[in-house]
Amino acid sequence: MYAVIKTGGKQYRVAPGQKLKIEQIPADIGQEISLDQVLSVGEGEQIKVGTPFVDGAVVKATVLAQGRHPKITVFKMRRRKNYRRTQGHRQNFTEVRIEAISA
């Protein structure tokens, strides 16, 4: 069984037991959260697609960690104008493990 969920402005295809890093959610480590924005649910040949969400479908997940992704460098430059700007950025994430999908 799998589901397509929407969280943090992104969509993820998830299955029970899968670990994944999503946009930061304010939750404690070990806490169980429910993701109710389920776009579709599928099992084998059957698939249920919502408009836009599947009614009554919930994905249960456990928070494993809160962290930050590696640093990326943002570099801007205009040629021949002596203009250079360097900036770094680290995005926050929440690592979750998908426990169950109920449709």
Side-chain angles (χ1 to χ4, degrees):
M1 182 175 232
Y2 69 91
V4 177
I5 60 169
K6 178 183 169 190
T7 179
K10 298 176 179 67
Q11 296 177 9
Y12 302 94
R13 184 183 193 269
V14 298
Q18 179 182 355
K19 290 182 186 176
L20 99 132
K21 293 180 180 177
I22 60 176
E23 294 295 316
Q24 188 177 32
I25 294 176
D28 295 328
I29 295 173
Q31 182 178 347
E32 187 170 291
I33 58 173
S34 61
L35 304 166
D36 57 350
Q37 292 188 340
V38 180
L39 300 169
S40 66
V41 177
E43 185 171 14
E45 294 294 318
Q46 300 174 350
I47 186 165
K48 223 187 277 187
V49 179
T51 56
F53 303 119
V54 178
D55 292 331
V58 176
V59 174
K60 300 279 186 192
T62 304
V63 176
L64 299 177
Q66 300 278 5
R68 302 181 82 186
H69 286 290
K71 181 182 251 187
I72 62 164
T73 303
V74 181
F75 183 71
K76 298 179 180 180
M77 185 180 109
R78 297 280 179 233
R79 63 183 186 167
R80 300 186 304 269
K81 304 298 181 194
N82 197 24
Y83 172 80
R84 292 189 179 116
R85 297 290 178 267
T86 304
Q87 184 179 11
H89 176 74
R90 291 184 72 185
Q91 185 71 26
N92 296 326
F93 69 83
T94 300
E95 187 174 8
V96 297
R97 181 177 56 237
I98 306 300
E99 301 297 337
I101 298 171
S102 63

